[in-house]
Amino acid sequence: MNHETTRPDGTRIHYTATGSADGPALTLIHGWGCDRGDFDAIVKHLPPEIRVLAVDLAEHGDSRSSRDTWTIEEFARDVAAVLAAESVESTVVAGHSLGGAVAVETARLLPDTVTRVLALDALHYLGLFPAQSEEDVQALLQPFREDFTGAMRGMVEAGSPEGTDPSLVDSYVKKMGSVRQPAGLHALEGLARWDMDAALREIAPPVVLYAVRSIIAKEAIDRYGDRIRIELVDLGSHHFPVESPAETAKLLADEL
């Protein structure tokens, strides 16, 4: 079930493979500061005939790398390496948060392989996903450079609707606050510099966004509603795949 593939620059990508080798393929990509283990409960609720690959991006989970490039495009190459190692010719790619961006970029990198992109509360945060100005990039990173844990808590709280269990918030802050550095900051910078609008223009597969209803801004719906199929959900916080695994598994399975 647990596998590893290597890439240049000392990069070792770990991933989990479950389900039928002959079934329709679903590739799962975690968010920033998270890991493939966040999908474990979801995988248990997926039909056994689905072939599931859950990937640890470089310097997340068990994956390690000494590379200097931390762009969304490079993370997509991590995913592409797994698909090549598993000889996957066709797959739906689903990503949470940062993983949603990586899923879109994987579709651009592998146009003949990725058939659909599923974003789990990703792509709609206008202060992060569309390419930011240099001034905005530095403004985003500065709080993390000065007080990483405090900035992380602010980010998690912003993605937590009213009524979210405080212990959940604390657990997310602890987990994401332990992301390995400097890769964690570099990955956040890579996300802020990523040109999502260009990527969306250049990919053919449909993109479906499952967004937390109480978090998504109307401006995001107005901006991307004609390019992305936006489905609003009430399954928890920004981390709803962890909080509602059975319901999330159904959303994913229905798209296959």
Side-chain angles (χ1 to χ4, degrees):
M1 291 176 60
N2 298 306
H3 304 273
E4 175 185 343
T5 189
T6 58
R7 296 195 55 229
D9 301 323
T11 300
R12 304 186 314 279
I13 301 300
H14 288 252
Y15 62 97
T16 302
T18 57
S20 171
D22 299 323
L26 172 64
T27 303
L28 301 173
I29 310 171
H30 60 77
W32 182 79
C34 301
D35 59 66
R36 73 186 193 272
D38 291 336
F39 295 113
D40 286 352
I42 292 175
V43 172
K44 292 179 181 178
H45 289 285
L46 289 170
E49 65 270 17
I50 295 178
R51 180 185 189 185
V52 184
L53 302 174
V55 182
D56 272 345
L57 300 174
E59 285 299 297
H60 290 75
D62 295 323
S63 295
R64 295 292 175 261
S65 179
S66 56
R67 69 192 187 207
D68 297 321
T69 303
W70 297 98
T71 61
I72 299 301
E73 292 86 347
E74 196 64 21
F75 280 131
R77 294 185 185 100
D78 292 341
V79 179
V82 170
L83 298 179
E86 291 291 317
S87 301
V88 174
E89 297 180 354
S90 176
T91 183
V92 171
V93 181
H96 168 244
S97 196
L98 167 97
V102 178
V104 170
E105 198 58 48
T106 303
R108 179 156 65 168
L109 181 65
L110 302 173
D112 297 326
T113 302
V114 178
T115 60
R116 185 176 297 262
V117 172
L118 307 180
L120 305 175
D121 210 55
L123 310 182
H124 64 83
Y125 291 91
L126 297 182
L128 184 61
F129 281 94
Q132 306 295 301
S133 68
E134 183 60 30
E135 180 180 2
D136 288 340
V137 170
Q138 296 307 320
L140 172 70
L141 295 177
Q142 192 60 34
F144 286 90
R145 291 170 177 152
E146 295 176 350
D147 179 6
F148 188 85
T149 301
M152 174 57 57
R153 178 168 292 277
M155 178 178 283
V156 173
E157 289 178 346
S160 302
E162 185 177 354
T164 300
D165 185 342
S167 66
L168 279 177
V169 173
D170 291 343
S171 68
Y172 299 144
V173 171
K174 181 178 180 180
K175 179 173 184 175
M176 298 169 71
S178 64
V179 64
R180 288 166 63 90
Q181 301 294 354
L185 276 174
H186 290 328
L188 190 59
E189 180 180 1
L191 181 58
R193 295 185 186 281
W194 180 56
D195 191 341
M196 182 174 79
D197 295 284
L200 288 173
R201 286 194 299 269
E202 294 177 17
I203 67 171
V207 180
V208 183
L209 162 62
Y210 293 100
V212 176
R213 188 187 310 274
S214 59
I215 294 177
I216 190 170
K218 183 179 183 300
E219 292 79 7
I221 297 175
D222 293 342
R223 177 167 178 168
Y224 292 112
D226 62 344
R227 178 61 186 87
I228 299 173
R229 193 184 100 213
I230 301 175
E231 303 286 348
L232 304 182
V233 299
D234 301 295
L235 299 177
S237 76
H238 173 65
H239 294 269
F240 74 81
V242 173
E243 298 159 22
S244 302
E247 295 84 351
T248 303
K250 185 177 187 308
L251 295 176
L252 297 175
D254 287 347
E255 293 294 339
L256 271 76

